[in-house]
Amino acid sequence: MRPILLQGHERSITQIKYNREGDLLFSVAKDTVTNVWYSVNGERLGTYNGHTGAVWCVDCDWDTKNVLTGSADNSCRLWDCQTGKQLALFETNSAVRTCGFDFSGNIIMFSTDKQMGYQCFLNFFDLRDPQQIEDNQPYLSIPCADHKITSAVWGPLGEFVIAGHENGEFNQFSAKSGEIIKKAKEHTKQINDIQTSVDLTMFISASKDNTAKLFDSATMDHIKTFKTERPVNSAAISPIMDHVVMGGGQEAMEVTTTSTRIGKFEARFFHAAYEEEFGRVKGHFGPINCVAFHPDGKSYSSGGEDGYTRIHYFDPQYFDFELEA
């Protein structure tokens, strides 16, 4: 099967996200546009226009009603998924790096960057309270003075947020009190991406230290490590197989000095239990910035520094594949 190529951005892709059913794929990039696509055929459904800077993150709630985007224009915005209308604007002092809906879709979190003299904050808003939105006052704001948050996801049941920091450590922040429930430090360098499994019991982290690691969401116990020889920008867990996919490559600024063959811009598949690599998929002309599995596990997508999003459908052999231990 040839991959479906989505061309809707002028600059490098920063994040891609499927909705829960997987019929829609959202993509954001360093241009100001948020695109939404039909994942089955790659047709563009529409765009969410309003940001004036690079868009770093995107999330969609459980029933695909609202979309949340965070941008370098110092704002986080809430959109109506169907009409593309902007429903709410949360203004911040610095760029918004990560954002997400909790399981109910009622509470959102987003983190801001440590820049221009402002420190990094993790903010929580309850969307059922219009006063919070009007006053631009989160019900909880957690300062992270030491190391800024580079990626964050909601844990199971919406009780806490798992945040990855630029020094390679993880914190579980309580969504009610703001306290740190648990800590873990397994990476030696910045954490670029965190993605959870379908049932939220595990999460996988991608780091600049050339590894991706699998953790238990509740206990923060380290389970597996997947090693490569290049920084890992993104990693995802298959919903139906014991597989993980990773994307990366060297730093974007070094790309021009190497050929694509040596550049290692492939998506790499590892067996989740044996930690063995069993497949690579070529295609991008630069580092892969984000990967995501379709919720049915029959395809995956990758977004790259080259501005393209590629949807790959797996061949039938993939589902019969057994790794010989």
Short mmCIF file of all heavy atoms in Angstrom, two decimals, residues 219-245:
data_model
loop_
_atom_site.label_atom_id
_atom_site.label_comp_id
_atom_site.label_asym_id
_atom_site.label_seq_id
_atom_site.Cartn_x
_atom_site.Cartn_y
_atom_site.Cartn_z
N THR A 219 2.12 3.89 38.88
CA THR A 219 3.25 3.75 39.82
C THR A 219 4.51 4.43 39.32
O THR A 219 5.47 4.58 40.09
CB THR A 219 3.57 2.27 40.03
OG1 THR A 219 3.97 1.70 38.77
CG2 THR A 219 2.37 1.51 40.57
N MET A 220 4.54 4.82 38.03
CA MET A 220 5.72 5.43 37.39
C MET A 220 6.90 4.45 37.34
O MET A 220 8.06 4.86 37.24
CB MET A 220 6.16 6.72 38.11
CG MET A 220 5.08 7.76 38.20
SD MET A 220 4.66 8.50 36.63
CE MET A 220 5.90 9.76 36.47
N ASP A 221 6.61 3.14 37.43
CA ASP A 221 7.68 2.15 37.32
C ASP A 221 8.15 2.04 35.88
O ASP A 221 7.33 2.01 34.96
CB ASP A 221 7.19 0.77 37.79
CG ASP A 221 6.97 0.74 39.29
OD1 ASP A 221 7.54 1.60 39.98
OD2 ASP A 221 6.22 -0.14 39.77
N HIS A 222 9.46 1.96 35.70
CA HIS A 222 10.04 1.84 34.37
C HIS A 222 9.96 0.37 33.93
O HIS A 222 10.39 -0.52 34.65
CB HIS A 222 11.50 2.33 34.44
CG HIS A 222 12.27 2.06 33.20
ND1 HIS A 222 13.56 1.59 33.20
CD2 HIS A 222 11.93 2.19 31.90
CE1 HIS A 222 13.98 1.44 31.96
NE2 HIS A 222 13.01 1.79 31.15
N ILE A 223 9.38 0.12 32.74
CA ILE A 223 9.16 -1.27 32.30
C ILE A 223 10.16 -1.70 31.22
O ILE A 223 10.82 -2.73 31.34
CB ILE A 223 7.73 -1.44 31.76
CG1 ILE A 223 6.69 -0.93 32.79
CG2 ILE A 223 7.43 -2.90 31.43
CD1 ILE A 223 5.27 -0.83 32.23
N LYS A 224 10.26 -0.92 30.15
CA LYS A 224 11.11 -1.32 29.01
C LYS A 224 11.87 -0.12 28.46
O LYS A 224 11.45 1.02 28.63
CB LYS A 224 10.25 -1.89 27.87
CG LYS A 224 9.48 -3.16 28.22
CD LYS A 224 10.38 -4.37 28.19
CE LYS A 224 9.62 -5.60 28.66
NZ LYS A 224 10.49 -6.75 28.84
N THR A 225 12.96 -0.41 27.76
CA THR A 225 13.73 0.64 27.08
C THR A 225 13.98 0.23 25.63
O THR A 225 14.33 -0.91 25.36
CB THR A 225 15.10 0.85 27.77
OG1 THR A 225 14.86 1.23 29.12
CG2 THR A 225 15.90 1.95 27.08
N PHE A 226 13.80 1.17 24.71
CA PHE A 226 14.05 0.93 23.29
C PHE A 226 15.16 1.88 22.85
O PHE A 226 14.98 3.09 22.90
CB PHE A 226 12.77 1.15 22.48
CG PHE A 226 11.59 0.43 23.05
CD1 PHE A 226 10.69 1.09 23.86
CD2 PHE A 226 11.40 -0.93 22.81
CE1 PHE A 226 9.61 0.42 24.42
CE2 PHE A 226 10.32 -1.61 23.36
CZ PHE A 226 9.42 -0.93 24.17
N LYS A 227 16.29 1.31 22.42
CA LYS A 227 17.47 2.14 22.13
C LYS A 227 17.63 2.38 20.63
O LYS A 227 17.43 1.47 19.82
CB LYS A 227 18.73 1.45 22.65
CG LYS A 227 18.81 1.32 24.16
CD LYS A 227 20.21 0.84 24.57
CE LYS A 227 20.33 0.72 26.07
NZ LYS A 227 19.75 -0.51 26.59
N THR A 228 18.05 3.60 20.27
CA THR A 228 18.42 3.91 18.89
C THR A 228 19.73 4.70 18.95
O THR A 228 20.25 4.97 20.02
CB THR A 228 17.35 4.79 18.20
OG1 THR A 228 17.36 6.07 18.83
CG2 THR A 228 15.97 4.19 18.32
N GLU A 229 20.21 5.11 17.76
CA GLU A 229 21.45 5.88 17.77
C GLU A 229 21.20 7.34 17.43
O GLU A 229 22.12 8.11 17.22
CB GLU A 229 22.50 5.26 16.83
CG GLU A 229 22.12 5.12 15.38
CD GLU A 229 21.11 3.99 15.16
OE1 GLU A 229 21.04 3.04 15.96
OE2 GLU A 229 20.37 4.10 14.17
N ARG A 230 19.94 7.74 17.40
CA ARG A 230 19.59 9.14 17.13
C ARG A 230 18.59 9.61 18.17
O ARG A 230 17.87 8.80 18.74
CB ARG A 230 18.95 9.28 15.73
CG ARG A 230 19.88 8.98 14.59
CD ARG A 230 20.93 10.08 14.49
NE ARG A 230 22.19 9.56 13.97
CZ ARG A 230 22.60 9.72 12.72
NH1 ARG A 230 21.86 10.36 11.88
NH2 ARG A 230 23.77 9.25 12.34
N PRO A 231 18.48 10.94 18.39
CA PRO A 231 17.45 11.43 19.30
C PRO A 231 16.06 10.98 18.86
O PRO A 231 15.78 10.94 17.66
CB PRO A 231 17.57 12.96 19.18
CG PRO A 231 18.95 13.20 18.69
CD PRO A 231 19.31 12.02 17.84
N VAL A 232 15.21 10.60 19.80
CA VAL A 232 13.84 10.16 19.49
C VAL A 232 12.90 11.33 19.75
O VAL A 232 12.87 11.88 20.85
CB VAL A 232 13.44 8.95 20.37
CG1 VAL A 232 12.08 8.43 19.93
CG2 VAL A 232 14.49 7.85 20.28
N ASN A 233 12.15 11.73 18.72
CA ASN A 233 11.25 12.88 18.86
C ASN A 233 9.86 12.47 19.30
O ASN A 233 9.13 13.26 19.89
CB ASN A 233 11.15 13.63 17.53
CG ASN A 233 12.46 14.29 17.16
OD1 ASN A 233 13.28 14.56 18.02
ND2 ASN A 233 12.66 14.52 15.87
N SER A 234 9.46 11.23 18.97
CA SER A 234 8.10 10.83 19.27
C SER A 234 8.01 9.32 19.29
O SER A 234 8.79 8.63 18.61
CB SER A 234 7.15 11.40 18.19
OG SER A 234 5.82 11.07 18.47
N ALA A 235 7.08 8.79 20.10
CA ALA A 235 6.89 7.35 20.17
C ALA A 235 5.43 7.07 20.51
O ALA A 235 4.79 7.86 21.21
CB ALA A 235 7.79 6.73 21.23
N ALA A 236 4.89 5.96 19.98
CA ALA A 236 3.48 5.63 20.21
C ALA A 236 3.34 4.13 20.43
O ALA A 236 4.16 3.34 19.96
CB ALA A 236 2.64 6.07 19.02
N ILE A 237 2.29 3.76 21.18
CA ILE A 237 2.03 2.36 21.51
C ILE A 237 0.87 1.85 20.66
O ILE A 237 -0.17 2.49 20.60
CB ILE A 237 1.66 2.23 23.01
CG1 ILE A 237 2.74 2.84 23.90
CG2 ILE A 237 1.41 0.77 23.39
CD1 ILE A 237 2.34 2.97 25.37
N SER A 238 1.05 0.69 20.03
CA SER A 238 -0.03 0.13 19.22
C SER A 238 -1.20 -0.30 20.10
O SER A 238 -0.99 -0.90 21.16
CB SER A 238 0.48 -1.08 18.43
OG SER A 238 -0.62 -1.79 17.87
N PRO A 239 -2.45 -0.01 19.66
CA PRO A 239 -3.61 -0.38 20.48
C PRO A 239 -3.95 -1.88 20.42
O PRO A 239 -4.69 -2.37 21.27
CB PRO A 239 -4.75 0.45 19.89
CG PRO A 239 -4.31 0.80 18.52
CD PRO A 239 -2.81 0.81 18.50
N ILE A 240 -3.43 -2.60 19.41
CA ILE A 240 -3.84 -4.01 19.27
C ILE A 240 -2.67 -4.99 19.30
O ILE A 240 -2.85 -6.16 19.60
CB ILE A 240 -4.65 -4.24 17.98
CG1 ILE A 240 -3.85 -3.77 16.76
CG2 ILE A 240 -6.00 -3.56 18.05
CD1 ILE A 240 -4.42 -4.23 15.44
N MET A 241 -1.45 -4.53 19.01
CA MET A 241 -0.29 -5.43 18.98
C MET A 241 0.69 -5.02 20.08
O MET A 241 0.61 -3.93 20.62
CB MET A 241 0.43 -5.32 17.62
CG MET A 241 -0.47 -5.47 16.42
SD MET A 241 -0.90 -7.18 16.05
CE MET A 241 0.51 -7.67 15.09
N ASP A 242 1.64 -5.93 20.37
CA ASP A 242 2.69 -5.57 21.34
C ASP A 242 3.81 -4.83 20.63
O ASP A 242 4.97 -5.27 20.65
CB ASP A 242 3.25 -6.85 22.01
CG ASP A 242 2.20 -7.52 22.87
OD1 ASP A 242 1.35 -6.80 23.41
OD2 ASP A 242 2.24 -8.75 23.01
N HIS A 243 3.44 -3.73 19.98
CA HIS A 243 4.42 -3.01 19.18
C HIS A 243 4.46 -1.54 19.59
O HIS A 243 3.46 -0.99 20.04
CB HIS A 243 4.06 -3.07 17.69
CG HIS A 243 4.09 -4.44 17.11
ND1 HIS A 243 3.52 -4.75 15.90
CD2 HIS A 243 4.61 -5.60 17.58
CE1 HIS A 243 3.69 -6.04 15.65
NE2 HIS A 243 4.35 -6.57 16.66
N VAL A 244 5.64 -0.92 19.42
CA VAL A 244 5.73 0.53 19.54
C VAL A 244 6.40 1.06 18.28
O VAL A 244 7.20 0.36 17.65
CB VAL A 244 6.53 0.98 20.79
CG1 VAL A 244 5.86 0.50 22.05
CG2 VAL A 244 7.96 0.49 20.74
N VAL A 245 6.03 2.27 17.89
CA VAL A 245 6.68 2.91 16.74
C VAL A 245 7.37 4.17 17.25
O VAL A 245 6.88 4.85 18.14
CB VAL A 245 5.66 3.24 15.62
CG1 VAL A 245 4.60 4.22 16.08
CG2 VAL A 245 6.38 3.81 14.40
#
